[in-house]
Amino acid sequence: MATENKNLSEYDKATIPNAKNLRFGIVVSEWNSQITEGLYEGALEALVDCGAIKENVIRWNVPGSFELTYGSKKMIETQQVDAVIAIGSVIQGETKHFDFVCSATAQGIKDLNVLHDTPVIFCVLTDNNMQQAIDRSGGKHGNKGAEAAVAAIKMAVLGQ
């Protein structure tokens, strides 16, 4: 696995621009909230650690990962943010529903990045089981939310 020997929470602050003057949107799926809340906390902590002001971080909740695209689109259109982080968790089940949700969510977020000048960061875990999701949302592999926050900062600065 790509994350097996990597802690997703580790980053070198010297390589990251200061986020003091940036505004961020974070759209969080309520589905698998144990996982998405961990990802949100990791993202928020990393943003603040890199200089972001908490008042400049806007959080919206949506029901599930499929709805992240619409929530992110509305965030871009109404909140004047420099970057959006879309946080979700889809865990493999017994049906093809997993494949459809993962594909549609990834494509939707990709489409937003093509259509808008505001970057949307894909922070959606697509794991085979709950333990893998736990391991990547603050567990033994660190927190993918922190990694997404670093990407959001870098992409926001790139877009300026």
Side-chain angles (χ1 to χ4, degrees), residues 1-6 136:
M1 281 185 203
T3 58
E4 191 165 348
N5 295 313
K6 180 179 181 187
R136 289 157 181 78

Side-chain angles (χ1 to χ4, degrees), residues 26 38-48 85 87 123 143-149:
I26 304 179
L39 293 169
Y40 170 77
E41 290 300 325
L44 182 61
E45 286 175 23
L47 288 172
V48 170
I85 302 170
I87 293 178
C123 183
N143 196 309
K144 184 77 172 171
E147 185 179 44

Side-chain angles (χ1 to χ4, degrees), residues 30-115:
E30 295 172 336
W31 194 260
N32 293 325
S33 63
Q34 171 190 358
I35 304 306
T36 59
E37 287 303 315
L39 293 169
Y40 170 77
E41 290 300 325
L44 182 61
E45 286 175 23
L47 288 172
V48 170
D49 184 49
C50 292
I53 299 166
K54 274 191 178 181
E55 291 76 24
N56 288 338
V57 180
I58 303 160
R59 176 188 172 146
W60 286 358
N61 290 345
V62 295
S65 291
F66 190 85
E67 291 79 24
L68 288 169
T69 301
Y70 183 80
S72 296
K73 176 179 176 276
K74 285 300 183 186
M75 179 76 73
I76 291 167
E77 293 173 349
T78 65
Q79 299 302 308
Q80 296 177 315
V81 292
D82 296 295
V84 175
I85 302 170
I87 293 178
S89 171
V90 186
I91 298 172
Q92 178 72 55
E94 296 179 4
T95 68
K96 288 189 168 277
H97 184 73
F98 173 88
D99 298 325
F100 297 126
V101 171
C102 293
S103 180
T105 303
Q107 290 296 320
I109 292 172
K110 181 269 301 173
D111 289 347
L112 292 176
N113 280 301
V114 171
L115 296 172

Side-chain angles (χ1 to χ4, degrees), residues 4-41:
E4 191 165 348
N5 295 313
K6 180 179 181 187
N7 185 321
L8 299 168
S9 302
E10 293 178 2
Y11 53 87
D12 179 3
K13 278 178 60 171
T15 66
I16 303 166
N18 188 294
K20 179 182 176 186
N21 296 317
L22 299 172
R23 286 177 46 89
F24 298 94
I26 304 179
V27 182
V28 182
S29 167
E30 295 172 336
W31 194 260
N32 293 325
S33 63
Q34 171 190 358
I35 304 306
T36 59
E37 287 303 315
L39 293 169
Y40 170 77
E41 290 300 325

